[in-house]
């Protein structure tokens, strides 16, 4: 058996061996992409071709830690129902002995082509980094390009933290943005170009720490992505090494964007301020694609590096993808909403209108659950604080708080009493303190909250007990009116 066949057999054996344990876990999600076993991290190769969405993912099939990475592969006709396909990339070549790291996909003349980072570490821990291609005629089986790697290590002045190529085509040329680090330990995004995906040349630095008035902005930038929206160019990236500042940058690493204008001749992005894409606890390495309907879609890892102590590890698996989101640009800010296709999951609609709550906490008949979508529009009468408690236990020990405070004008997600797993609080300011619209997606162990039509999003894992299903509404220091509330089981 060759190395690839041997590794694939080991993966399949391990999936088989751990299946029973994995499936015993109540916290397995019902409508999110998860690994069959082991660890999932970044989304890779997100693309829509011939009516099919493909998503690949960083996959460590042998353990719930970050080890030897493969590319897992799922496909879907509608971004809702995903089918699992055979492993797309197996680290079986000399240029990827320590994993097939993150990258992207393009459609090159009908051939689905993956561009990814081959990661190599020698015994002394020294890293080599190779950008590579793998090509498929059938969208399922991928062949590594025979002259891989197409980029050997990093350009001068940078370290071997050089990875995560995102490729697109513009005006007959291919472009690649890639995450990098200068020898002075400054994060960078670099632009390369190629006529054929095989030979690449450096165009220049797109943006970076201590470039263009951006002071001390991280020691490494991972997973960059560049795309056009309404005549602007957006750079998404994940800076590592930012200090927390009030409500900002509270997770270990960030994921956010610049809006600007990219100069394709020298690579420079003339950009504004950095904005975080998500205000919750678990969100990293987002990747976008434009689909055949012309929508800019985003999926991210619903996890974060160096936080591997989630309760699911006892069942042999960890992490998941976020729901797919549609992006729109309004006044230089990205608005994010769940894709409309998710509405096909809705069952058993319950609706309420015009409910006033004043200095009390209430429950509403038939409004409870663990796997549901909630759409709620609240109008403030004179309450000082109000909100919703989700996944509450009967004995009152477990609850996840979504609380708006009109004095601070901030919305808070509190998972200190959510059950097992990490606790903590995240907050953000909102533009209006008189109206609040929440679209909440709850799964067995996750929450995604889209606020005020996508102005902000909070994405988090929580691990309440199976029986913690009550939902409570409260107002303090005055009243609120729930104008409209709809709940569906998903
Ligand atoms: C981001 C990341 C990437 C890398 C991959 C390895 O989470 O560290 O930079 O390619 O994960 O799995």
């Amino acid at each position: 058996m060759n190395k690839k066949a041997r590794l694939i057999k080991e993966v399949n054996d391990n999936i088989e061996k751990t299946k029973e344990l994995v499936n015993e876990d109540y916290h397995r999600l019902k409508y999110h992409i998860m690994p069959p076993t082991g660890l999932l991290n970044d989304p890779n190769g997100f693309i829509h071709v011939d009516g099919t969405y493909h998503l690949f993912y960083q996959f460590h099939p042998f353990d719930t830690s970050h080890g030897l990475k493969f590319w897992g592969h799922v496909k879907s006709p509608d971004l809702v129902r995903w089918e699992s396909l055979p492993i797309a990339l197996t680290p079986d070549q000399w240029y990827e002995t320590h994993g097939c790291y993150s990258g992207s996909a393009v459609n090159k003349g009908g051939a689905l082509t993956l561009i990814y980072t081959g990661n190599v570490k020698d015994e002394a821990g020294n890293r080599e980094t190779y950008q590579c291609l793998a090509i498929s005629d059938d969208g399922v089986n991928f062949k590594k390009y025979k002259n891989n790697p197409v980029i050997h290590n990093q350009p001068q002045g940078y370290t071997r933290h050089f990875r995560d190529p995102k490729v697109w085509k513009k005006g007959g040329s291919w472009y690649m943005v890639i995450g990098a680090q200068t020898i002075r330990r400054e994060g960078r995004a670099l632009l390369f170009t190629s006529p054929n995906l095989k030979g690449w040349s450096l165009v220049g630095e797109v943006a970076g720490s201590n470039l263009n008035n951006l002071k001390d902005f991280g020691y490494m930038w991972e997973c960059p992505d560049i795309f056009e929206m309404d005549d602007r160019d957006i750079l998404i990236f994940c800076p590592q090494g930012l200090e927390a500042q009030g409500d900002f940058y509270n997770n270990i690493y960030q994921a956010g964007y610049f809006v600007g204008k990219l100069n394709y001749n020298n690579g420079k992005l003339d950009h504004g301020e950095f904005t975080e894409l998500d205000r919750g606890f678990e969100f990293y390495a987002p990747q976008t694609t434009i689909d055949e309907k012309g929508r800019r879609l985003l999926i991210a890892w619903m996890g974060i590096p160096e936080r591997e102590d989630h309760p699911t590890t006892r069942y042999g698996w960890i992490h998941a993808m976020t729901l797919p989101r549609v992006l729109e640009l309004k006044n230089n800010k990205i608005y994010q909403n769940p894709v409309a296709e998710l509405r096909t999951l809705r069952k058993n609609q319950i609706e309420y209108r015009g409910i006033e709550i004043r200095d009390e906490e209430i429950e509403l008949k038939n409004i409870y659950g663990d796997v549901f979508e909630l759409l709620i529009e609240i109008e403030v009468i004179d309450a000082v604080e109000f909100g919703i408690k989700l996944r509450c236990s009967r004995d009152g020990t477990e609850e996840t708080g979504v609380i708006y405070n009109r004095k601070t004008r901030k919305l808070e997600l509190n998972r200190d009493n959510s059950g097992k797993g990490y606790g903590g609080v995240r907050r953000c300011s909102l533009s209006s303190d008189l109206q609040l619209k929440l679209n909440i997606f709850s799964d067995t162990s996750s929450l995604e909250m889209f606020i005020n039509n996508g102005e902000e999003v909070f994405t988090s894992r929580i691990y309440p007990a199976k029986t913690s299903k009550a939902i409570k509404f409260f107002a303090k220091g005055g009243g609120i009116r729930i104008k409209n509330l709809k709940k569906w089981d998903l």
Side-chain angles (χ1 to χ4, degrees), residues 8 57 106 121 153 168 171 173 224 248 261 426 463 481:
I8 296 267
Y57 58 89
V106 294
K121 271 183 200 164
N153 287 318
W168 70 100
S173 293
F248 297 104
K261 199 77 201 156
R426 292 287 180 270
Y463 301 95
R481 187 177 302 111

Side-chain angles (χ1 to χ4, degrees), residues 41-42 58 66 69 101-102 117 163-164 220 222-223 240 284-285 301 305:
N41 59 300
D42 311 354
Q58 285 289 287
H66 287 272
K69 297 290 167 71
Y101 272 14
S102 285
T117 300
R163 57 178 171 269
D164 312 336
M220 170 64 192
E222 293 187 313
C223 301
Q240 300 187 310
Y284 198 68
W301 172 24

Side-chain angles (χ1 to χ4, degrees), residues 95-101 117-121 127-130:
Y95 48 76
E96 57 195 11
T97 55
H98 290 66
C100 298
Y101 272 14
T117 300
N119 181 47
V120 173
K121 271 183 200 164
R127 198 186 271 269
E128 303 277 338
T129 173
Y130 299 109

Side-chain angles (χ1 to χ4, degrees), residues 164-410:
D164 312 336
K166 175 82 191 316
V167 176
W168 70 100
K169 199 172 196 178
K170 185 174 169 76
S173 293
W174 295 100
Y175 289 91
M176 171 197 289
V177 62
I178 187 162
Q181 177 183 62
T182 68
I183 51 179
R184 277 181 259 104
R185 302 277 184 277
E186 299 154 317
R188 287 281 189 276
L190 303 184
L191 185 70
F192 282 71
T193 187
S194 171
N196 52 15
L197 300 178
K198 292 170 179 167
W200 290 92
S201 50
L202 177 64
V203 180
E205 295 182 314
V206 178
S209 176
N210 299 324
L211 259 191
N212 314 328
N213 304 322
L214 184 69
K215 229 181 131 325
D216 296 339
F217 215 74
Y219 57 81
M220 170 64 192
W221 288 13
E222 293 187 313
C223 301
D225 189 349
I226 289 181
F227 54 90
E228 270 178 39
M229 264 185 129
D230 301 347
D231 203 31
R232 309 294 289 156
D233 296 297
I234 316 287
L235 169 69
I236 287 182
F237 63 103
C238 296
Q240 300 187 310
L242 304 189
E243 299 276 335
Q245 278 177 28
D247 299 328
F248 297 104
Y249 316 154
N250 279 248
N251 297 333
I252 178 166
Y253 304 133
Q254 278 56 56
Y257 62 94
F258 290 140
V259 178
K261 199 77 201 156
L262 183 66
N263 181 332
Y264 277 84
N265 296 320
N266 61 16
K268 186 178 157 186
L269 182 78
D270 195 5
H271 63 79
E273 305 246 295
F274 182 72
T275 309
E276 280 177 277
L277 276 163
D278 197 282
R279 312 307 298 270
F281 296 89
E282 276 85 23
F283 182 94
Y284 198 68
Q287 191 174 84
T288 75
T289 192
I290 187 159
D291 75 353
E292 288 169 347
K293 298 174 182 168
R295 299 178 297 180
R296 181 57 60 175
L297 304 174
L298 177 147
I299 289 191
W301 172 24
M302 190 155 57
I304 200 119
E306 296 165 46
R307 292 289 179 276
E308 271 83 59
D309 199 12
H310 288 264
T312 60
T313 56
R314 283 182 43 224
Y315 294 90
W317 71 284
I318 187 168
H319 300 315
M321 290 299 166
T322 66
L323 291 174
R325 307 173 180 181
V326 190
L327 307 187
E328 284 167 289
L329 195 66
K330 294 184 198 165
N331 299 322
N332 279 339
K333 180 176 163 66
I334 293 182
Y335 280 67
Q336 306 170 69
N337 281 292
V339 294
E341 287 90 330
L342 287 162
R343 294 177 195 157
T344 61
L345 290 172
R346 292 172 173 175
K347 293 177 297 206
N348 311 328
Q349 174 171 315
I350 313 273
E351 186 169 1
Y352 284 88
R353 277 169 193 279
I355 294 178
E356 207 171 300
I357 305 173
R358 178 166 292 276
D359 292 311
E360 61 182 333
E361 181 170 285
I362 63 157
E363 288 185 47
L364 294 168
K365 191 163 179 269
N366 289 324
I367 302 289
Y368 66 91
D370 54 353
V371 181
F372 62 85
E373 179 186 348
L374 193 65
L375 191 59
I376 177 163
E377 282 180 79
I378 297 171
E379 218 169 52
V380 177
I381 304 168
D382 53 3
V384 177
E385 192 173 277
F386 61 92
I388 311 177
K389 295 174 183 169
L390 301 161
R391 301 297 311 264
C392 305
S393 63
R394 280 287 150 225
D395 65 5
T397 55
E398 274 184 22
E399 62 178 39
T400 299
V402 181
I403 306 149
Y404 186 78
N405 185 306
R406 286 183 63 223
K407 284 202 180 121
T408 59
R409 298 176 66 103
K410 283 178 186 175

